[in-house]
């Protein structure tokens, strides 16, 4: 076996180990995400207070970005350590050291287990695969583990918004919380965006009508009426829509990964065939909306990229779903507190969904569907 053949065989085996550890990390995060979020909130609260002190001392103007940055060199020293950074427009893009850190040991444990499995397998090749080759390749695989820090901060956002320290912090017209790597703003992933300078309804509708690839990712769209629009196939992954009117719009075949609809009017919107892992429609009006044949389950893995989709399921808590249709959908939905009268779940795969026990008589379900749902008390 030559070096190229050995390397190809080794990486195939190492990627199988990666899949095992990512699945284990995914399961752990699913169980512990609330505790992890609570720990993050404590650290972020202290950091917000620190940022306020900088502003009070005129050492920083209005905050435009807060970044939680992976210290990659520390990862290979045995620590999944993240540094908290704050920027105004004058300091944006600069590098500086902050004393505020978060130790994500829960991520490192799984990365370490995978690394050790790779090292054990490398030794079986009797020197054909060099340690430095493995180290270089491992560095390229960090994102599959690091993404769970993105999930953790995104899960903590709602709690962060309620902190007095967050509310006191002076923010610029466009403010973001990002997770990324130290010294590199380009690869950061936004977990929260607030833009106080919004387009008019007409301008926003014209913008969305273009359905530009990747144009709307991480955007904050608020207080506009874009009803009766043709947005079929649009990509709104990680977009936050706040108090938006979408009545009667067409979003068939759209991409809504972790999209967040907050207090939106989506009555009679057609989401047919859309992909909406971890989308949120809490407290939205979805009366007579169509979710037929949508995809929004849990724990779906893309092994090639080492990514899991569907951590929380689709959130419908408190939504108006009267006469909404979910025919032949594959969805793990949280329907607690939703209005479900007249909802149609014919042929839907509801595995992993949650409903209130009091609503059992309101929805027409097959026996297998009822068995697939977690029924809970209020």
């Amino acid at each position: 076996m030559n070096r190229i053949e050995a390397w190809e065989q080794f990486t195939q085996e190492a990627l199988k180990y990666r899949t095992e550890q990512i699945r284990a990390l995914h399961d752990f995060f699913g169980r512990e995400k609330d505790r992890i979020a609570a720990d993050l909130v404590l650290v972020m609260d202290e950091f917000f207070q620190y940022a306020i002190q900088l502003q009070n001392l005129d050492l920083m103007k209005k905050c435009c970005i807060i970044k939680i940055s992976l210290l990659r060199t520390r990862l290979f020293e045995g620590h999944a350590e993240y540094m908290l950074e704050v920027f105004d427009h004058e300091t944006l893009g600069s590098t500086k050291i902050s004393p505020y850190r978060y130790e994500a040991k829960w991520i490192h444990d799984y990365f370490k287990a995978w690394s050790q499995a790779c090292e054990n397998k490398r030794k079986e090749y009797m020197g054909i695969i060099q340690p430095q080759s493995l180290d270089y390749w491992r560095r390229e695989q960090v994102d599959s583990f690091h993404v769970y820090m993105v999930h953790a901060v995104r899960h903590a956002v709602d709690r962060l918004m309620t902190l007095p320290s967050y509310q006191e912090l002076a923010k610029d017209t466009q403010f973001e919380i990002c997770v990324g790597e130290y010294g590199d703003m380009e690869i950061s992933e936004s977990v929260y965006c607030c833009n106080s300078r919004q387009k008019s309804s007409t301008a926003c509708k014209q913008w969305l009508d273009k359905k530009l690839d990747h144009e709307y990712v991480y955007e904050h769209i608020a207080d506009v009426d874009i009803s009766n629009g043709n947005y079929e196939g649009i990509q709104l992954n990680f977009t936050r829509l706040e108090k938006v009117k979408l009545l009667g719009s067409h979003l068939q075949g759209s991409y809504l990964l972790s999209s967040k609809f907050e207090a939106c009017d989506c009555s009679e919107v057609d989401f047919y065939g859309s992909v909406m892992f971890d989308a949120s429609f809490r407290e939205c009006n979805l009366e007579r909306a169509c979710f037929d044949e949508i995809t929004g389950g849990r724990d779906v893995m893309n092994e090639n990229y080492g990514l899991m989709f569907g951590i929380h399921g689709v959130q419908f808590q408190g939504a108006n779903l009267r006469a909404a249709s979910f025919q032949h959908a594959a969805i793990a939905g949280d329907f607690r507190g939703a209005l479900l009268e007249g909802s149609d779940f014919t042929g839907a795969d509801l595995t992993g969904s949650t409903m209130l026990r009091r609503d059992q008589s309101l929805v027409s379900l097959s026996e297998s569907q009822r068995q697939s749902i977690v029924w809970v008390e209020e």
Side-chain angles (χ1 to χ4, degrees), residues 132-193:
Q132 58 268 31
S133 297
L134 173 57
D135 285 344
Y136 182 82
W137 183 72
R138 279 193 309 145
R139 292 173 188 273
E140 296 178 338
Q141 311 305 316
V142 169
D143 284 355
S144 295
F145 297 85
H146 161 73
V147 72
Y148 282 87
M149 187 63 182
V150 179
H151 294 324
V153 179
R154 185 172 282 126
H155 186 56
V157 161
D158 287 346
R159 303 188 199 189
L160 294 176
M161 302 299 103
T162 66
L163 291 173
S165 57
Y166 172 81
Q167 295 169 9
E168 185 180 346
L169 181 66
K171 306 170 198 67
D172 215 324
T173 52
Q174 182 152 337
F175 169 78
E176 282 188 90
I177 299 175
C178 304
V179 181
E181 288 195 31
Y182 178 68
D184 193 336
M185 295 297 294
E186 296 301 317
I187 61 172
S188 296
E189 184 160 346
S190 177
V191 296
Y192 177 79
C193 177

Side-chain angles (χ1 to χ4, degrees), residues 335-338 340 355-363 375:
F335 296 97
R336 289 176 294 176
L340 297 171
M355 291 186 184
L356 293 178
R357 198 177 302 279
R358 72 175 191 196
D359 292 333
Q360 284 183 321
S361 61
L362 293 178
V363 287
W375 298 96

Side-chain angles (χ1 to χ4, degrees), residues 12 18 23 35 71 77 86 113-114 137 140 143-144 158 160-161 174 190 245 264 268 275 309 313-314 339 341 361 373:
Q12 288 177 3
R18 186 188 68 177
R23 287 187 182 277
R35 178 185 61 79
L71 303 177
E77 294 170 356
V86 61
W114 174 67
W137 183 72
E140 296 178 338
D143 284 355
S144 295
D158 287 346
L160 294 176
M161 302 299 103
Q174 182 152 337
S190 177
K245 292 183 179 179
C264 294
E268 298 187 11
V275 178
F309 297 96
V314 184
L339 303 177
E341 292 88 346
S361 61
I373 294 171

Side-chain angles (χ1 to χ4, degrees), residues 33-43 156 159:
K33 60 187 179 184
D34 290 336
R35 178 185 61 79
I36 292 168
D39 291 342
L40 270 169
V41 168
L42 292 175
V43 176
R159 303 188 199 189

Side-chain angles (χ1 to χ4, degrees), residues 108-317:
H108 184 263
D109 287 346
Y110 294 94
F111 182 77
K112 180 181 178 181
W114 174 67
S115 296
Q116 188 59 57
C118 290
E119 176 60 18
N120 293 342
K121 179 57 68 172
R122 184 193 70 80
K123 291 178 179 178
E124 295 178 11
Y125 285 80
M126 306 298 290
I128 298 177
I129 296 173
Q130 298 300 311
Q132 58 268 31
S133 297
L134 173 57
D135 285 344
Y136 182 82
W137 183 72
R138 279 193 309 145
R139 292 173 188 273
E140 296 178 338
Q141 311 305 316
V142 169
D143 284 355
S144 295
F145 297 85
H146 161 73
V147 72
Y148 282 87
M149 187 63 182
V150 179
H151 294 324
V153 179
R154 185 172 282 126
H155 186 56
V157 161
D158 287 346
R159 303 188 199 189
L160 294 176
M161 302 299 103
T162 66
L163 291 173
S165 57
Y166 172 81
Q167 295 169 9
E168 185 180 346
L169 181 66
K171 306 170 198 67
D172 215 324
T173 52
Q174 182 152 337
F175 169 78
E176 282 188 90
I177 299 175
C178 304
V179 181
E181 288 195 31
Y182 178 68
D184 193 336
M185 295 297 294
E186 296 301 317
I187 61 172
S188 296
E189 184 160 346
S190 177
V191 296
Y192 177 79
C193 177
C194 183
N195 186 358
S196 59
R197 290 182 180 175
Q198 290 289 331
K199 293 178 171 65
S200 68
S201 294
T202 300
C204 187
K205 192 169 186 178
Q206 290 174 346
W207 180 49
L208 295 175
D209 278 341
K210 296 176 182 177
K211 293 178 277 193
L212 302 169
D213 290 347
H214 313 299
E215 177 77 9
Y216 318 110
V217 176
Y218 307 127
E219 288 286 344
H220 174 216
I221 301 170
D223 299 305
V224 289
D225 187 343
I226 51 175
S227 299
N228 300 308
N230 180 16
Y231 313 120
E232 183 175 353
I234 197 168
Q235 297 182 23
L236 294 176
N237 298 330
F238 306 104
T239 307
R240 185 165 74 95
L241 298 94
E242 180 183 8
K243 298 178 181 176
V244 173
K245 292 183 179 179
L246 281 153
L247 292 80
S249 292
H250 299 277
L251 280 88
Q252 303 99 318
S254 58
Y255 294 88
L256 306 172
L257 274 66
S258 294
S259 303
K260 196 168 186 179
F261 294 75
E262 300 177 355
C264 294
D265 191 343
C266 301
S267 56
E268 298 187 11
V269 171
D270 189 351
F271 294 103
Y272 176 89
S274 295
V275 178
M276 53 179 68
F277 291 108
D278 290 331
S280 175
F281 297 91
R282 294 180 182 179
E283 308 295 336
C284 290
N285 180 14
L286 295 158
E287 190 165 0
R288 295 185 300 280
C290 175
F291 293 93
D292 293 350
E293 297 193 30
I294 62 96
T295 301
R298 276 186 179 166
D299 309 329
V300 177
M301 185 162 203
N302 183 321
E303 293 189 8
N304 290 333
Y305 292 97
L307 293 174
M308 295 284 291
F309 297 96
I311 292 176
H312 313 290
V314 184
Q315 308 292 300
F316 291 108
Q317 297 97 311

Side-chain angles (χ1 to χ4, degrees), residues 364-378:
S364 177
L365 300 170
S366 68
E367 186 56 32
S368 62
Q369 286 176 323
R370 291 186 183 279
Q371 292 297 325
S372 70
I373 294 171
V374 179
W375 298 96
V376 298
E377 303 295 340
E378 287 189 71

